Amino acid sequence: MRIRRAAKALHHAGCIPVMAAFVLLAGETFASAAGQGENSIDIALQALTDKRPVDANAAFAKAAMEGNAAVQGALGVMYYDGIGVPVDAAKAFYWLSKADAQGRPEASYRLGLMYGNSDPLAGAPAFDRQTSDNYLAKAWNGLDPLIKKNDAMAEATAARFLIPDYDSITDHLGIPKDAALAERLLKAAAAQGDIDAMEMLATLYDLDRDKGRAQGRRDGLVFKDTEKEALGLHERAGLLGHSRAMERVGKYFSDTGDDKKAVAWLTAAAKLGDRYASTRLSQRYGISIGTPFADSYSEPPETVAGTKAGDIDPVLVSMAIVGLVMAIAIANPATEGEPSADTELYADRLRDERNYWEMRQSQDDFACAIGGGTPNWGGGCD
């Protein structure tokens, strides 16, 4: 409660960004709820408040090693999806397994996808359909109680099962598809700041619109007038470190003839391991960027940093952790019946992009990308 009151006071006094205030608020709730890694969480939150993202990321990683399920799940998702860090199947599997053992459905879901991949990445487990089905069933069956608590990661995971024609690995499970319900879940999760939900909501709109146009319609089969909203969601998620979102924005600029911006966004996505971005850069622009997949890891990772430190923007890593972990925190308040000021503060942060820029050590990277240059992730513009 002391941290909560102090953070509110600092926020209202304008002494720290809204995001930092929210980090303090939500950090108190998820650290106390998990009961593990609390001291490391305190260190990470103080580092974020002091605008030291590298130190914050190391402390978050230490909290995960100490058993904090929320941070474990976030790291697994980040390494699996390329959010803030390059895709790394070995690290993803390590952290997803830890989080799955503590009941996090987003971890169980992605483990199901990993085992269900007949052409696994280096460092991923070998294909095993039965193990894949077991993890997917575990994820689906564990969602309901968490969704009733407005757990954003659970909402986003449930939506992945429900989106029509999204993931063929789950099709044989017999779960009815429901685009409208998926939209409601994703909107609820995105409103809490879940980066994955932002990107999935945009993907839902894109898939529906593509199906509608394939049938000769101007718009989607279920949703109308979503093209501008979807692009905005892709861009927001990309600014917060989601590699697939960056690729989608890059594709948009490529398709509309703005090659400078296209190359900037696609380069950023490729450096985080998005193979679609790498392919488009190579085939359309003759630019070759190797994806940073690791071969194997025999020891648990000791930091959140990837294998190529120059490709890592520490602020994007911090924002990814905040955007994934803190959404879980809102759904698990430390004190029953306490007003939900967390959600309000986080919504304020999302509405005010200046708070994102205030957290950056260098403000040039994505300003460079949006302006048509190539961000180099070390702070600067090529």
Side-chain angles (χ1 to χ4, degrees), residues 224-280:
K224 308 301 178 186
D225 300 318
T226 60
E227 188 166 12
K228 183 177 180 180
E229 182 177 357
L231 180 61
L233 287 163
H234 284 311
E235 187 173 21
R236 181 182 292 278
L239 287 169
L240 294 173
H242 201 301
S243 60
R244 177 50 53 86
M246 296 174 187
E247 186 274 333
R248 293 286 87 188
V249 178
K251 180 181 182 299
Y252 168 81
F253 284 124
S254 180
D255 291 344
T256 56
D258 193 334
D259 290 337
K260 278 192 174 182
K261 289 184 180 179
V263 169
W265 284 95
L266 292 171
T267 298
K271 286 184 176 181
L272 291 180
D274 189 278
R275 290 179 291 180
Y276 294 99
S278 295
T279 299
R280 181 170 285 258

Side-chain angles (χ1 to χ4, degrees), residues 36-240:
Q36 294 173 306
E38 188 166 355
N39 184 57
S40 296
I41 292 295
D42 289 340
I43 293 172
L45 299 178
Q46 185 60 53
L48 282 179
T49 304
D50 296 340
K51 301 181 182 179
R52 293 182 288 109
V54 173
D55 295 339
N57 297 336
F60 275 129
K62 189 170 186 293
M65 291 181 191
E66 293 167 350
N68 189 293
V71 183
Q72 290 173 344
L75 294 182
V77 170
M78 289 164 65
Y79 282 119
Y80 182 87
D81 290 327
I83 304 176
V85 295
V87 171
D88 189 319
K91 289 184 179 180
F93 183 76
Y94 178 84
W95 289 120
L96 292 172
S97 297
K98 293 286 187 182
D100 165 76
Q102 298 199 63
R104 290 304 314 172
E106 69 277 4
S108 305
Y109 174 82
R110 285 168 175 80
L111 286 171
L113 297 185
M114 293 186 87
Y115 276 104
N117 187 350
S118 59
D119 184 23
L121 298 174
F127 172 76
D128 187 327
R129 172 61 69 187
Q130 187 58 57
T131 301
S132 172
D133 288 351
N134 291 342
Y135 275 118
L136 292 171
K138 180 180 180 181
W140 178 255
N141 293 330
L143 288 168
D144 188 58
L146 294 174
I147 289 175
K148 289 178 179 177
K149 295 180 180 179
N150 301 316
D151 184 302
M153 286 293 281
E155 291 168 336
T157 302
R160 286 173 172 264
F161 283 101
L162 299 171
I163 296 176
D165 303 317
Y166 172 66
D167 202 330
S168 60
I169 291 179
T170 66
D171 287 348
H172 67 289
L173 299 178
I175 299 170
K177 303 299 182 180
D178 189 330
L181 177 56
E183 181 194 37
R184 292 198 297 273
L185 289 166
L186 290 171
K187 281 186 171 181
Q192 296 185 60
D194 188 288
I195 301 169
D196 181 54
M198 296 176 197
E199 175 56 18
M200 284 306 305
L201 182 57
T203 299
L204 171 65
Y205 290 149
D206 289 344
L207 290 171
D208 179 65
R209 193 170 56 256
D210 289 345
K211 286 188 289 185
R213 291 178 177 175
Q215 297 183 19
R217 302 189 182 192
R218 184 188 67 84
D219 222 325
L221 298 178
V222 180
F223 310 108
K224 308 301 178 186
D225 300 318
T226 60
E227 188 166 12
K228 183 177 180 180
E229 182 177 357
L231 180 61
L233 287 163
H234 284 311
E235 187 173 21
R236 181 182 292 278
L239 287 169
L240 294 173

Side-chain angles (χ1 to χ4, degrees), residues 13-45:
C15 297
I16 58 176
V18 176
M19 194 280 278
F22 176 79
V23 167
L24 290 172
L25 290 165
E28 180 189 43
T29 60
F30 83 74
S32 59
Q36 294 173 306
E38 188 166 355
N39 184 57
S40 296
I41 292 295
D42 289 340
I43 293 172
L45 299 178

Side-chain angles (χ1 to χ4, degrees), residues 334-379:
T335 305
E336 291 293 334
E338 187 168 358
S340 181
D342 297 350
T343 303
E344 180 182 351
L345 282 175
Y346 201 62
D348 287 344
R349 183 183 70 80
L350 290 176
R351 286 192 293 267
D352 188 353
E353 291 296 339
R354 288 175 300 175
N355 295 313
Y356 170 72
W357 298 118
E358 287 178 17
M359 284 298 299
R360 301 191 59 81
Q361 287 182 319
S362 168
Q363 298 187 8
D364 295 333
D365 293 347
F366 262 97
C368 163
I370 294 171
T374 302
N376 60 27
W377 298 96

Side-chain angles (χ1 to χ4, degrees), residues 297-354:
Y297 284 85
S298 58
E299 299 293 331
E302 296 182 356
T303 69
V304 187
T307 56
K308 296 182 180 180
D311 290 343
I312 303 295
D313 181 336
V315 178
L316 285 185
V317 176
S318 295
M319 294 299 294
I321 295 174
V322 169
L324 295 170
V325 175
M326 303 309 172
I328 295 172
I330 293 174
N332 297 279
T335 305
E336 291 293 334
E338 187 168 358
S340 181
D342 297 350
T343 303
E344 180 182 351
L345 282 175
Y346 201 62
D348 287 344
R349 183 183 70 80
L350 290 176
R351 286 192 293 267
D352 188 353
E353 291 296 339
R354 288 175 300 175

